[in-house]
Amino acid sequence: KTGSCPEDCAYCPQSAHHNSNLKKEKLIEIKRVEEAAKKAKKQGSTRFCLGAAWRKPTDRDLETVCEMIKKVSAMGLETCVTLGMLSQKQAKNLFDAGLDYYNHNIDTSEEYYSKIISTRTYEDRLNTLENVRKANLKVCCGGILGMGESVHDRIKMLITLANLPKQPESVPLNQLIKIPGIPLEKERDLDPI
């Protein structure tokens, strides 16, 4: 599912709050997911990731995603999804469907978070991570660099990740991609070093 997300994340072209000219799509059909997973596996992929621009999935949408996970998992691929906030029950449903990893980045430090997102809290992020862990799913959690944060904010983000009850199995550190129409489109380029 692409676009129309009710969250206002300043880095995200999928937010309904920003005019990034993104082509919006409803939740795609399971058959399209199967075709994409087959192609990915044929090209050497071992993990297949699915994402939807939601604040949190409805139980009905989650049922469809669980069917997608079952189909992809049956192909012998690891599965990963990013769907926004989850309840403990939803996380358990994903585990029961065969999900391997749940991606839910904390994005930045707790102190800087409200400068990037106002429609949810840092605590909301941590609660979802806790629900994912309680469901015995592996965690993929990191953040985005180059959003105007300080080096101190980056360090605090890493300290938060290191001090979770169990550290994430995967820690993606992304660099901001400045898409026209997002609030951070004019942010100063980050030195990759």
Side-chain angles (χ1 to χ4, degrees), residues 23-148:
K23 183 182 176 226
K24 298 170 180 84
E25 289 185 46
K26 294 182 179 185
L27 190 62
I28 66 173
E29 297 172 3
I30 294 174
K31 184 177 174 99
R32 284 183 59 198
V33 170
E34 283 183 278
E35 290 167 1
K38 284 178 189 172
K39 183 177 177 182
K41 184 171 182 174
K42 186 176 180 182
Q43 293 176 348
S45 293
T46 58
R47 185 182 301 171
F48 192 78
C49 300
L50 298 162
W54 285 320
R55 175 177 170 80
K56 57 184 175 183
T58 64
D59 289 339
R60 183 172 170 227
D61 284 334
L62 194 71
E63 285 178 28
T64 303
V65 172
C66 286
E67 286 305 310
M68 293 174 181
I69 291 165
K70 289 174 186 175
K71 298 280 188 184
V72 172
S73 188
M75 294 178 201
L77 289 165
E78 283 185 322
T79 54
C80 178
V81 297
T82 181
L83 308 172
M85 296 186 293
L86 293 178
S87 68
Q88 197 169 342
K89 180 181 181 285
Q90 289 175 319
K92 176 79 168 79
N93 289 347
L94 290 168
F95 176 81
D96 291 343
L99 183 67
D100 296 297
Y101 287 85
Y102 193 81
N103 171 259
H104 196 66
N105 292 332
I106 59 172
D107 296 327
T108 189
S109 70
E110 184 172 8
E111 295 81 7
Y112 197 69
Y113 191 82
S114 63
K115 291 178 178 62
I116 301 300
I117 303 165
S118 70
T119 51
R120 68 175 154 206
T121 66
Y122 205 72
E123 194 64 29
D124 290 332
R125 293 274 189 184
L126 296 176
N127 289 340
T128 291
L129 291 174
E130 184 179 343
N131 290 339
V132 167
R133 277 291 183 212
K134 285 180 180 175
N136 293 315
L137 292 166
K138 294 176 187 160
V139 170
C140 176
C141 182
I144 303 172
L145 307 180
M147 300 187 296

Side-chain angles (χ1 to χ4, degrees), residues 27 160 187:
L27 190 62
T160 298
E187 193 60 47

